[in-house]
Amino acid sequence: MNGPDTKMNLPEATIAQLRRSAEAALENAYAPYSHFSVGAAILTTSGRIFNGCNVENAAYPSGLCAEAVAIGHMVATLGPMHILACYVACKGHTPAWPCGSCRQRLNEFADTRMWVLTSVMDGLPERIPFRDLLPHHFGAADLEGFRS
């Protein structure tokens, strides 16, 4: 992995493809309780895109966030890979950033250059480097020396 970038180096065509993938997943969201549909798409450092949508459950903690489903899709298809970007789309009035649990999930696979983008359906995307979204992260490196 390379050092962190201060500028997102993704072509606009790739960002548009990520957005389309997130919005396509959003259309399949299962949100009968909150009525807040979310779609996410992740871009791996190999250039593959995986998407997912939120799947709610009457037992609220048992639901799945769109980012978690996209990560599961990636791992089930290709195994663990580094994520270069995550795009989150929602039908709300304000963009939806990944929740705390999903920030930690993303951190597990985040490339040091990773960016997160979010938008509502007709809005312009907002973007932030992942390291600014989860500045004091906990990851595999923090467990070094504790394995038996």
Side-chain angles (χ1 to χ4, degrees):
M1 288 192 276
N2 298 326
D5 290 336
T6 56
K7 181 179 179 226
M8 188 167 63
N9 291 319
L10 291 178
E12 289 301 318
T14 301
I15 294 170
Q17 187 178 11
L18 270 172
R19 181 179 188 149
R20 284 191 303 273
S21 185
E23 289 177 352
L26 167 72
E27 294 304 318
N28 293 323
Y30 179 71
Y33 307 105
S34 72
H35 305 288
F36 189 74
S37 297
V38 179
I42 56 175
L43 172 68
T44 68
T45 53
S46 69
R48 293 283 305 268
I49 294 175
F50 296 91
N51 65 7
C53 60
N54 60 323
V55 181
E56 292 182 350
N57 188 290
Y60 287 107
S62 298
L64 297 169
C65 295
E67 300 89 336
V69 173
I71 290 168
H73 184 193
M74 172 191 73
V75 173
T77 304
L78 294 178
M81 304 187 77
H82 287 121
I83 299 172
L84 190 57
C86 177
Y87 198 111
V88 181
C90 71
K91 291 185 176 180
H93 299 290
T94 59
W97 294 97
C99 71
S101 291
C102 284
R103 291 175 193 200
Q104 188 62 41
R105 288 180 180 107
L106 288 165
N107 184 63
E108 188 71 17
F109 302 99
D111 185 88
T112 58
R113 303 165 290 166
M114 183 176 161
W115 281 74
V116 177
L117 302 95
T118 183
S119 69
V120 294
M121 294 298 285
D122 295 326
L124 294 174
E126 295 181 30
R127 53 188 85 183
I128 189 170
F130 182 69
R131 68 181 179 280
D132 291 348
L133 193 59
L134 187 65
H136 303 289
H137 64 276
F138 179 87
D142 297 301
L143 297 174
E144 298 279 329
F146 291 102
R147 298 184 187 127
S148 53

